Amino acid sequence: LGRLKNKWEELKRALRGLIGPHLRFMLEQQLRHIDALTQLIAALDEEIELQIRPFDRPLERIRNIEGLGKRTTQEIIGVIGTDLSRVPTSSHLVSWTGVAPGNNESAWKRRSGRTTKRTPLLRSALIEAAHASARTKNTFLSRLYHRIAARRGSKRAIVAVAHYILVIIYHLLKEDQEYLVSSVDALRRTQT
């Protein structure tokens, strides 16, 4: 900035030559449009906060999972809801979401293990949360990611972490519990 102070008048003259009246008009229109969109986003955020207020307790419970932020938890609750009495097991929820590993095997030959694309909004939110939790330091989910990624690759590890996050969410909502890392380790031992 020190050298730029000496050239201030020179810079003004250079910009005056580049921006004509038409370009200035177009820039003003674009800035007005950006301001209008910013106001619209703020209004939508207020409406989301108002609509999601009855679900504050489940949201707080889920938000304690490493890698899940405010927007991601809102998306998850918005799709699956908080009443999981109609879902018999976590496997049903995981399969409905599309983060269960595929199992296409015939005559002892394993074919494609692709996951299904059932609920794209929830699936993308879980994958995003899995990426965030894989980047955390010294947490259960990051250790899970690194352990699976070493054997199976990073994409499969991300889907596995997303799967596990959804299993944790299922148990937190269904059993009305708080998220504790020790309870996740206990959950892991009961599932294996």
Side-chain angles (χ1 to χ4, degrees):
L1 203 85
R3 291 183 184 176
L4 209 56
K5 281 183 180 178
N6 300 338
K7 301 177 183 176
W8 197 251
E9 292 300 320
E10 210 174 306
L11 283 172
K12 283 183 182 178
R13 276 186 280 133
L15 285 175
R16 203 173 298 128
L18 293 177
I19 299 178
H22 175 69
L23 188 56
R24 184 167 291 148
F25 171 77
M26 294 303 291
L27 287 173
E28 286 175 4
Q29 297 306 313
Q30 288 176 351
L31 289 174
R32 283 189 194 138
H33 184 66
I34 290 171
D35 291 340
L37 289 176
T38 304
Q39 289 175 353
L40 180 64
I41 290 171
L44 288 173
D45 282 342
E46 287 177 21
E47 182 63 23
I48 289 171
E49 288 295 325
L50 184 67
Q51 294 296 323
I52 205 109
R53 191 165 290 140
F55 307 105
D56 278 344
R57 182 155 162 68
L59 281 170
E60 279 302 316
R61 220 177 298 137
I62 293 172
R63 201 173 297 143
N64 290 334
I65 300 171
E66 57 268 5
L68 267 69
K70 181 179 179 182
R71 186 72 55 171
T72 307
T73 55
Q74 289 174 347
E75 288 176 12
I76 291 170
I77 292 294
V79 175
I80 66 172
T82 56
D83 180 24
L84 297 177
S85 60
R86 295 169 288 156
V87 183
T89 64
S90 61
S91 300
H92 286 86
L93 180 63
V94 167
S95 177
W96 174 75
T97 304
V99 290
N103 189 13
N104 187 1
E105 190 174 317
S106 177
W108 297 282
K109 291 183 181 176
R110 185 158 171 80
R111 297 189 188 132
S112 172
R114 290 178 181 254
T115 58
T116 57
K117 310 286 191 269
R118 301 242 173 110
T119 53
L121 178 67
L122 182 57
R123 181 184 163 85
S124 64
L126 287 168
I127 295 294
E128 183 180 322
H131 277 287
S133 60
R135 287 189 301 268
T136 58
K137 302 287 183 195
N138 297 327
T139 62
F140 171 75
L141 292 173
S142 71
R143 288 192 305 267
L144 176 69
Y145 167 78
H146 290 295
R147 191 172 62 237
I148 296 172
R151 292 177 298 145
R152 308 282 303 195
S154 64
K155 289 184 179 181
R156 289 183 185 202
I158 286 295
V159 172
V161 171
H163 173 122
Y164 215 87
I165 288 172
L166 191 59
V167 169
I168 293 169
I169 290 171
Y170 173 83
H171 286 285
L172 291 179
L173 294 177
K174 183 93 173 194
E175 298 162 10
D176 196 31
Q177 294 180 352
E178 295 296 322
Y179 176 73
L180 302 170
V181 176
S182 59
S183 65
V184 173
D185 288 331
L187 172 67
R188 191 177 122 246
R189 283 193 295 275
T190 59
Q191 285 187 338
T192 55

mmCIF file with all atom_site columns, all heavy atoms in Angstrom, residues 133-153:
data_model
loop_
_atom_site.group_PDB
_atom_site.id
_atom_site.type_symbol
_atom_site.label_atom_id
_atom_site.label_alt_id
_atom_site.label_comp_id
_atom_site.label_asym_id
_atom_site.label_entity_id
_atom_site.label_seq_id
_atom_site.pdbx_PDB_ins_code
_atom_site.Cartn_x
_atom_site.Cartn_y
_atom_site.Cartn_z
_atom_site.occupancy
_atom_site.B_iso_or_equiv
_atom_site.pdbx_formal_charge
_atom_site.auth_seq_id
_atom_site.auth_comp_id
_atom_site.auth_asym_id
_atom_site.auth_atom_id
_atom_site.pdbx_PDB_model_num
ATOM 1   N N   . SER A 1 133 ? -16.411 -34.226 8.793  1.00 0.00 ? 133 SER A N   1
ATOM 2   C CA  . SER A 1 133 ? -15.986 -35.003 9.960  1.00 0.00 ? 133 SER A CA  1
ATOM 3   C C   . SER A 1 133 ? -14.699 -35.768 9.680  1.00 0.00 ? 133 SER A C   1
ATOM 4   O O   . SER A 1 133 ? -13.939 -36.047 10.602 1.00 0.00 ? 133 SER A O   1
ATOM 5   C CB  . SER A 1 133 ? -17.096 -35.950 10.411 1.00 0.00 ? 133 SER A CB  1
ATOM 6   O OG  . SER A 1 133 ? -17.420 -36.844 9.384  1.00 0.00 ? 133 SER A OG  1
ATOM 7   N N   . ALA A 1 134 ? -14.428 -36.094 8.423  1.00 0.00 ? 134 ALA A N   1
ATOM 8   C CA  . ALA A 1 134 ? -13.162 -36.769 8.091  1.00 0.00 ? 134 ALA A CA  1
ATOM 9   C C   . ALA A 1 134 ? -11.980 -35.832 8.278  1.00 0.00 ? 134 ALA A C   1
ATOM 10  O O   . ALA A 1 134 ? -10.858 -36.281 8.530  1.00 0.00 ? 134 ALA A O   1
ATOM 11  C CB  . ALA A 1 134 ? -13.202 -37.285 6.661  1.00 0.00 ? 134 ALA A CB  1
ATOM 12  N N   . ARG A 1 135 ? -12.221 -34.525 8.171  1.00 0.00 ? 135 ARG A N   1
ATOM 13  C CA  . ARG A 1 135 ? -11.140 -33.547 8.337  1.00 0.00 ? 135 ARG A CA  1
ATOM 14  C C   . ARG A 1 135 ? -10.920 -33.140 9.787  1.00 0.00 ? 135 ARG A C   1
ATOM 15  O O   . ARG A 1 135 ? -9.978  -32.409 10.073 1.00 0.00 ? 135 ARG A O   1
ATOM 16  C CB  . ARG A 1 135 ? -11.433 -32.304 7.492  1.00 0.00 ? 135 ARG A CB  1
ATOM 17  C CG  . ARG A 1 135 ? -11.248 -32.523 6.017  1.00 0.00 ? 135 ARG A CG  1
ATOM 18  C CD  . ARG A 1 135 ? -11.324 -31.226 5.261  1.00 0.00 ? 135 ARG A CD  1
ATOM 19  N NE  . ARG A 1 135 ? -12.572 -30.524 5.423  1.00 0.00 ? 135 ARG A NE  1
ATOM 20  C CZ  . ARG A 1 135 ? -13.625 -30.649 4.622  1.00 0.00 ? 135 ARG A CZ  1
ATOM 21  N NH1 . ARG A 1 135 ? -13.566 -31.453 3.605  1.00 0.00 ? 135 ARG A NH1 1
ATOM 22  N NH2 . ARG A 1 135 ? -14.722 -29.967 4.831  1.00 0.00 ? 135 ARG A NH2 1
ATOM 23  N N   . THR A 1 136 ? -11.781 -33.574 10.699 1.00 0.00 ? 136 THR A N   1
ATOM 24  C CA  . THR A 1 136 ? -11.576 -33.235 12.105 1.00 0.00 ? 136 THR A CA  1
ATOM 25  C C   . THR A 1 136 ? -10.401 -34.029 12.662 1.00 0.00 ? 136 THR A C   1
ATOM 26  O O   . THR A 1 136 ? -10.004 -35.048 12.105 1.00 0.00 ? 136 THR A O   1
ATOM 27  C CB  . THR A 1 136 ? -12.848 -33.522 12.940 1.00 0.00 ? 136 THR A CB  1
ATOM 28  O OG1 . THR A 1 136 ? -13.181 -34.906 12.799 1.00 0.00 ? 136 THR A OG1 1
ATOM 29  C CG2 . THR A 1 136 ? -14.003 -32.650 12.516 1.00 0.00 ? 136 THR A CG2 1
ATOM 30  N N   . LYS A 1 137 ? -9.860  -33.565 13.754 1.00 0.00 ? 137 LYS A N   1
ATOM 31  C CA  . LYS A 1 137 ? -8.674  -34.194 14.342 1.00 0.00 ? 137 LYS A CA  1
ATOM 32  C C   . LYS A 1 137 ? -9.055  -35.046 15.544 1.00 0.00 ? 137 LYS A C   1
ATOM 33  O O   . LYS A 1 137 ? -9.812  -34.616 16.415 1.00 0.00 ? 137 LYS A O   1
ATOM 34  C CB  . LYS A 1 137 ? -7.663  -33.129 14.804 1.00 0.00 ? 137 LYS A CB  1
ATOM 35  C CG  . LYS A 1 137 ? -7.205  -32.210 13.706 1.00 0.00 ? 137 LYS A CG  1
ATOM 36  C CD  . LYS A 1 137 ? -6.269  -32.925 12.779 1.00 0.00 ? 137 LYS A CD  1
ATOM 37  C CE  . LYS A 1 137 ? -5.766  -31.940 11.730 1.00 0.00 ? 137 LYS A CE  1
ATOM 38  N NZ  . LYS A 1 137 ? -5.148  -32.586 10.623 1.00 0.00 ? 137 LYS A NZ  1
ATOM 39  N N   . ASN A 1 138 ? -8.531  -36.255 15.577 1.00 0.00 ? 138 ASN A N   1
ATOM 40  C CA  . ASN A 1 138 ? -8.660  -37.160 16.718 1.00 0.00 ? 138 ASN A CA  1
ATOM 41  C C   . ASN A 1 138 ? -10.103 -37.380 17.157 1.00 0.00 ? 138 ASN A C   1
ATOM 42  O O   . ASN A 1 138 ? -10.428 -37.301 18.339 1.00 0.00 ? 138 ASN A O   1
ATOM 43  C CB  . ASN A 1 138 ? -7.820  -36.667 17.901 1.00 0.00 ? 138 ASN A CB  1
ATOM 44  C CG  . ASN A 1 138 ? -6.354  -36.660 17.579 1.00 0.00 ? 138 ASN A CG  1
ATOM 45  O OD1 . ASN A 1 138 ? -5.874  -37.502 16.832 1.00 0.00 ? 138 ASN A OD1 1
ATOM 46  N ND2 . ASN A 1 138 ? -5.639  -35.687 18.122 1.00 0.00 ? 138 ASN A ND2 1
ATOM 47  N N   . THR A 1 139 ? -10.977 -37.644 16.210 1.00 0.00 ? 139 THR A N   1
ATOM 48  C CA  . THR A 1 139 ? -12.361 -37.982 16.542 1.00 0.00 ? 139 THR A CA  1
ATOM 49  C C   . THR A 1 139 ? -12.649 -39.375 16.024 1.00 0.00 ? 139 THR A C   1
ATOM 50  O O   . THR A 1 139 ? -11.920 -39.915 15.182 1.00 0.00 ? 139 THR A O   1
ATOM 51  C CB  . THR A 1 139 ? -13.350 -36.983 15.908 1.00 0.00 ? 139 THR A CB  1
ATOM 52  O OG1 . THR A 1 139 ? -13.226 -37.040 14.490 1.00 0.00 ? 139 THR A OG1 1
ATOM 53  C CG2 . THR A 1 139 ? -13.107 -35.579 16.415 1.00 0.00 ? 139 THR A CG2 1
ATOM 54  N N   . PHE A 1 140 ? -13.707 -39.946 16.527 1.00 0.00 ? 140 PHE A N   1
ATOM 55  C CA  . PHE A 1 140 ? -14.073 -41.299 16.131 1.00 0.00 ? 140 PHE A CA  1
ATOM 56  C C   . PHE A 1 140 ? -14.347 -41.374 14.622 1.00 0.00 ? 140 PHE A C   1
ATOM 57  O O   . PHE A 1 140 ? -13.869 -42.294 13.946 1.00 0.00 ? 140 PHE A O   1
ATOM 58  C CB  . PHE A 1 140 ? -15.306 -41.757 16.926 1.00 0.00 ? 140 PHE A CB  1
ATOM 59  C CG  . PHE A 1 140 ? -15.858 -43.053 16.426 1.00 0.00 ? 140 PHE A CG  1
ATOM 60  C CD1 . PHE A 1 140 ? -15.211 -44.242 16.710 1.00 0.00 ? 140 PHE A CD1 1
ATOM 61  C CD2 . PHE A 1 140 ? -17.002 -43.080 15.656 1.00 0.00 ? 140 PHE A CD2 1
ATOM 62  C CE1 . PHE A 1 140 ? -15.704 -45.444 16.233 1.00 0.00 ? 140 PHE A CE1 1
ATOM 63  C CE2 . PHE A 1 140 ? -17.498 -44.270 15.178 1.00 0.00 ? 140 PHE A CE2 1
ATOM 64  C CZ  . PHE A 1 140 ? -16.850 -45.459 15.470 1.00 0.00 ? 140 PHE A CZ  1
ATOM 65  N N   . LEU A 1 141 ? -15.099 -40.415 14.084 1.00 0.00 ? 141 LEU A N   1
ATOM 66  C CA  . LEU A 1 141 ? -15.459 -40.469 12.674 1.00 0.00 ? 141 LEU A CA  1
ATOM 67  C C   . LEU A 1 141 ? -14.257 -40.243 11.757 1.00 0.00 ? 141 LEU A C   1
ATOM 68  O O   . LEU A 1 141 ? -14.167 -40.845 10.686 1.00 0.00 ? 141 LEU A O   1
ATOM 69  C CB  . LEU A 1 141 ? -16.566 -39.458 12.371 1.00 0.00 ? 141 LEU A CB  1
ATOM 70  C CG  . LEU A 1 141 ? -17.913 -39.784 13.016 1.00 0.00 ? 141 LEU A CG  1
ATOM 71  C CD1 . LEU A 1 141 ? -18.898 -38.645 12.798 1.00 0.00 ? 141 LEU A CD1 1
ATOM 72  C CD2 . LEU A 1 141 ? -18.477 -41.079 12.492 1.00 0.00 ? 141 LEU A CD2 1
ATOM 73  N N   . SER A 1 142 ? -13.326 -39.414 12.167 1.00 0.00 ? 142 SER A N   1
ATOM 74  C CA  . SER A 1 142 ? -12.132 -39.228 11.334 1.00 0.00 ? 142 SER A CA  1
ATOM 75  C C   . SER A 1 142 ? -11.263 -40.483 11.362 1.00 0.00 ? 142 SER A C   1
ATOM 76  O O   . SER A 1 142 ? -10.687 -40.864 10.341 1.00 0.00 ? 142 SER A O   1
ATOM 77  C CB  . SER A 1 142 ? -11.334 -38.010 11.777 1.00 0.00 ? 142 SER A CB  1
ATOM 78  O OG  . SER A 1 142 ? -10.693 -38.235 13.000 1.00 0.00 ? 142 SER A OG  1
ATOM 79  N N   . ARG A 1 143 ? -11.176 -41.141 12.513 1.00 0.00 ? 143 ARG A N   1
ATOM 80  C CA  . ARG A 1 143 ? -10.426 -42.406 12.576 1.00 0.00 ? 143 ARG A CA  1
ATOM 81  C C   . ARG A 1 143 ? -11.100 -43.464 11.717 1.00 0.00 ? 143 ARG A C   1
ATOM 82  O O   . ARG A 1 143 ? -10.425 -44.235 11.026 1.00 0.00 ? 143 ARG A O   1
ATOM 83  C CB  . ARG A 1 143 ? -10.307 -42.880 14.022 1.00 0.00 ? 143 ARG A CB  1
ATOM 84  C CG  . ARG A 1 143 ? -9.346  -42.043 14.848 1.00 0.00 ? 143 ARG A CG  1
ATOM 85  C CD  . ARG A 1 143 ? -9.021  -42.710 16.178 1.00 0.00 ? 143 ARG A CD  1
ATOM 86  N NE  . ARG A 1 143 ? -10.185 -43.050 16.976 1.00 0.00 ? 143 ARG A NE  1
ATOM 87  C CZ  . ARG A 1 143 ? -10.712 -42.278 17.918 1.00 0.00 ? 143 ARG A CZ  1
ATOM 88  N NH1 . ARG A 1 143 ? -10.180 -41.107 18.187 1.00 0.00 ? 143 ARG A NH1 1
ATOM 89  N NH2 . ARG A 1 143 ? -11.766 -42.670 18.593 1.00 0.00 ? 143 ARG A NH2 1
ATOM 90  N N   . LEU A 1 144 ? -12.425 -43.498 11.744 1.00 0.00 ? 144 LEU A N   1
ATOM 91  C CA  . LEU A 1 144 ? -13.164 -44.444 10.907 1.00 0.00 ? 144 LEU A CA  1
ATOM 92  C C   . LEU A 1 144 ? -12.882 -44.184 9.429  1.00 0.00 ? 144 LEU A C   1
ATOM 93  O O   . LEU A 1 144 ? -12.621 -45.106 8.664  1.00 0.00 ? 144 LEU A O   1
ATOM 94  C CB  . LEU A 1 144 ? -14.669 -44.322 11.188 1.00 0.00 ? 144 LEU A CB  1
ATOM 95  C CG  . LEU A 1 144 ? -15.601 -45.174 10.341 1.00 0.00 ? 144 LEU A CG  1
ATOM 96  C CD1 . LEU A 1 144 ? -15.433 -46.647 10.701 1.00 0.00 ? 144 LEU A CD1 1
ATOM 97  C CD2 . LEU A 1 144 ? -17.041 -44.747 10.535 1.00 0.00 ? 144 LEU A CD2 1
ATOM 98  N N   . TYR A 1 145 ? -12.913 -42.910 9.049  1.00 0.00 ? 145 TYR A N   1
ATOM 99  C CA  . TYR A 1 145 ? -12.635 -42.556 7.653  1.00 0.00 ? 145 TYR A CA  1
ATOM 100 C C   . TYR A 1 145 ? -11.243 -43.016 7.238  1.00 0.00 ? 145 TYR A C   1
ATOM 101 O O   . TYR A 1 145 ? -11.064 -43.660 6.199  1.00 0.00 ? 145 TYR A O   1
ATOM 102 C CB  . TYR A 1 145 ? -12.771 -41.045 7.442  1.00 0.00 ? 145 TYR A CB  1
ATOM 103 C CG  . TYR A 1 145 ? -12.194 -40.602 6.122  1.00 0.00 ? 145 TYR A CG  1
ATOM 104 C CD1 . TYR A 1 145 ? -12.896 -40.795 4.945  1.00 0.00 ? 145 TYR A CD1 1
ATOM 105 C CD2 . TYR A 1 145 ? -10.933 -40.024 6.045  1.00 0.00 ? 145 TYR A CD2 1
ATOM 106 C CE1 . TYR A 1 145 ? -12.363 -40.419 3.721  1.00 0.00 ? 145 TYR A CE1 1
ATOM 107 C CE2 . TYR A 1 145 ? -10.388 -39.647 4.841  1.00 0.00 ? 145 TYR A CE2 1
ATOM 108 C CZ  . TYR A 1 145 ? -11.113 -39.843 3.682  1.00 0.00 ? 145 TYR A CZ  1
ATOM 109 O OH  . TYR A 1 145 ? -10.578 -39.487 2.476  1.00 0.00 ? 145 TYR A OH  1
ATOM 110 N N   . HIS A 1 146 ? -10.233 -42.694 8.030  1.00 0.00 ? 146 HIS A N   1
ATOM 111 C CA  . HIS A 1 146 ? -8.862  -43.024 7.652  1.00 0.00 ? 146 HIS A CA  1
ATOM 112 C C   . HIS A 1 146 ? -8.621  -44.534 7.636  1.00 0.00 ? 146 HIS A C   1
ATOM 113 O O   . HIS A 1 146 ? -7.877  -45.035 6.787  1.00 0.00 ? 146 HIS A O   1
ATOM 114 C CB  . HIS A 1 146 ? -7.869  -42.328 8.584  1.00 0.00 ? 146 HIS A CB  1
ATOM 115 C CG  . HIS A 1 146 ? -7.833  -40.848 8.376  1.00 0.00 ? 146 HIS A CG  1
ATOM 116 N ND1 . HIS A 1 146 ? -7.393  -40.264 7.208  1.00 0.00 ? 146 HIS A ND1 1
ATOM 117 C CD2 . HIS A 1 146 ? -8.221  -39.818 9.169  1.00 0.00 ? 146 HIS A CD2 1
ATOM 118 C CE1 . HIS A 1 146 ? -7.491  -38.951 7.290  1.00 0.00 ? 146 HIS A CE1 1
ATOM 119 N NE2 . HIS A 1 146 ? -7.992  -38.661 8.473  1.00 0.00 ? 146 HIS A NE2 1
ATOM 120 N N   . ARG A 1 147 ? -9.266  -45.242 8.535  1.00 0.00 ? 147 ARG A N   1
ATOM 121 C CA  . ARG A 1 147 ? -9.118  -46.695 8.559  1.00 0.00 ? 147 ARG A CA  1
ATOM 122 C C   . ARG A 1 147 ? -9.713  -47.330 7.302  1.00 0.00 ? 147 ARG A C   1
ATOM 123 O O   . ARG A 1 147 ? -9.103  -48.196 6.679  1.00 0.00 ? 147 ARG A O   1
ATOM 124 C CB  . ARG A 1 147 ? -9.791  -47.250 9.818  1.00 0.00 ? 147 ARG A CB  1
ATOM 125 C CG  . ARG A 1 147 ? -9.486  -48.696 10.082 1.00 0.00 ? 147 ARG A CG  1
ATOM 126 C CD  . ARG A 1 147 ? -9.999  -49.161 11.428 1.00 0.00 ? 147 ARG A CD  1
ATOM 127 N NE  . ARG A 1 147 ? -11.447 -49.061 11.511 1.00 0.00 ? 147 ARG A NE  1
ATOM 128 C CZ  . ARG A 1 147 ? -12.109 -48.364 12.433 1.00 0.00 ? 147 ARG A CZ  1
ATOM 129 N NH1 . ARG A 1 147 ? -11.447 -47.694 13.353 1.00 0.00 ? 147 ARG A NH1 1
ATOM 130 N NH2 . ARG A 1 147 ? -13.417 -48.336 12.449 1.00 0.00 ? 147 ARG A NH2 1
ATOM 131 N N   . ILE A 1 148 ? -10.897 -46.875 6.884  1.00 0.00 ? 148 ILE A N   1
ATOM 132 C CA  . ILE A 1 148 ? -11.539 -47.439 5.693  1.00 0.00 ? 148 ILE A CA  1
ATOM 133 C C   . ILE A 1 148 ? -10.862 -46.944 4.424  1.00 0.00 ? 148 ILE A C   1
ATOM 134 O O   . ILE A 1 148 ? -10.700 -47.698 3.465  1.00 0.00 ? 148 ILE A O   1
ATOM 135 C CB  . ILE A 1 148 ? -13.047 -47.112 5.690  1.00 0.00 ? 148 ILE A CB  1
ATOM 136 C CG1 . ILE A 1 148 ? -13.718 -47.796 6.888  1.00 0.00 ? 148 ILE A CG1 1
ATOM 137 C CG2 . ILE A 1 148 ? -13.698 -47.555 4.396  1.00 0.00 ? 148 ILE A CG2 1
ATOM 138 C CD1 . ILE A 1 148 ? -15.144 -47.396 7.090  1.00 0.00 ? 148 ILE A CD1 1
ATOM 139 N N   . ALA A 1 149 ? -10.446 -45.681 4.405  1.00 0.00 ? 149 ALA A N   1
ATOM 140 C CA  . ALA A 1 149 ? -9.808  -45.115 3.211  1.00 0.00 ? 149 ALA A CA  1
ATOM 141 C C   . ALA A 1 149 ? -8.503  -45.828 2.895  1.00 0.00 ? 149 ALA A C   1
ATOM 142 O O   . ALA A 1 149 ? -8.144  -45.976 1.719  1.00 0.00 ? 149 ALA A O   1
ATOM 143 C CB  . ALA A 1 149 ? -9.560  -43.621 3.395  1.00 0.00 ? 149 ALA A CB  1
ATOM 144 N N   . ALA A 1 150 ? -7.802  -46.282 3.899  1.00 0.00 ? 150 ALA A N   1
ATOM 145 C CA  . ALA A 1 150 ? -6.545  -46.983 3.665  1.00 0.00 ? 150 ALA A CA  1
ATOM 146 C C   . ALA A 1 150 ? -6.783  -48.308 2.943  1.00 0.00 ? 150 ALA A C   1
ATOM 147 O O   . ALA A 1 150 ? -5.964  -48.735 2.132  1.00 0.00 ? 150 ALA A O   1
ATOM 148 C CB  . ALA A 1 150 ? -5.833  -47.236 4.995  1.00 0.00 ? 150 ALA A CB  1
ATOM 149 N N   . ARG A 1 151 ? -7.908  -48.947 3.206  1.00 0.00 ? 151 ARG A N   1
ATOM 150 C CA  . ARG A 1 151 ? -8.187  -50.239 2.590  1.00 0.00 ? 151 ARG A CA  1
ATOM 151 C C   . ARG A 1 151 ? -9.015  -50.131 1.313  1.00 0.00 ? 151 ARG A C   1
ATOM 152 O O   . ARG A 1 151 ? -8.760  -50.819 0.343  1.00 0.00 ? 151 ARG A O   1
ATOM 153 C CB  . ARG A 1 151 ? -8.970  -51.135 3.565  1.00 0.00 ? 151 ARG A CB  1
ATOM 154 C CG  . ARG A 1 151 ? -8.189  -51.581 4.753  1.00 0.00 ? 151 ARG A CG  1
ATOM 155 C CD  . ARG A 1 151 ? -9.057  -52.387 5.682  1.00 0.00 ? 151 ARG A CD  1
ATOM 156 N NE  . ARG A 1 151 ? -10.140 -51.535 6.166  1.00 0.00 ? 151 ARG A NE  1
ATOM 157 C CZ  . ARG A 1 151 ? -11.372 -51.936 6.409  1.00 0.00 ? 151 ARG A CZ  1
ATOM 158 N NH1 . ARG A 1 151 ? -11.699 -53.175 6.233  1.00 0.00 ? 151 ARG A NH1 1
ATOM 159 N NH2 . ARG A 1 151 ? -12.288 -51.108 6.854  1.00 0.00 ? 151 ARG A NH2 1
ATOM 160 N N   . ARG A 1 152 ? -10.046 -49.264 1.330  1.00 0.00 ? 152 ARG A N   1
ATOM 161 C CA  . ARG A 1 152 ? -11.047 -49.281 0.270  1.00 0.00 ? 152 ARG A CA  1
ATOM 162 C C   . ARG A 1 152 ? -11.042 -48.051 -0.625 1.00 0.00 ? 152 ARG A C   1
ATOM 163 O O   . ARG A 1 152 ? -11.731 -48.025 -1.629 1.00 0.00 ? 152 ARG A O   1
ATOM 164 C CB  . ARG A 1 152 ? -12.436 -49.425 0.893  1.00 0.00 ? 152 ARG A CB  1
ATOM 165 C CG  . ARG A 1 152 ? -12.617 -50.567 1.855  1.00 0.00 ? 152 ARG A CG  1
ATOM 166 C CD  . ARG A 1 152 ? -12.787 -51.829 1.144  1.00 0.00 ? 152 ARG A CD  1
ATOM 167 N NE  . ARG A 1 152 ? -13.922 -51.701 0.247  1.00 0.00 ? 152 ARG A NE  1
ATOM 168 C CZ  . ARG A 1 152 ? -14.532 -52.689 -0.338 1.00 0.00 ? 152 ARG A CZ  1
ATOM 169 N NH1 . ARG A 1 152 ? -14.108 -53.893 -0.128 1.00 0.00 ? 152 ARG A NH1 1
ATOM 170 N NH2 . ARG A 1 152 ? -15.536 -52.497 -1.142 1.00 0.00 ? 152 ARG A NH2 1
ATOM 171 N N   . GLY A 1 153 ? -10.368 -46.980 -0.230 1.00 0.00 ? 153 GLY A N   1
ATOM 172 C CA  . GLY A 1 153 ? -10.354 -45.752 -1.021 1.00 0.00 ? 153 GLY A CA  1
ATOM 173 C C   . GLY A 1 153 ? -11.170 -44.662 -0.350 1.00 0.00 ? 153 GLY A C   1
ATOM 174 O O   . GLY A 1 153 ? -12.032 -44.923 0.497  1.00 0.00 ? 153 GLY A O   1
#
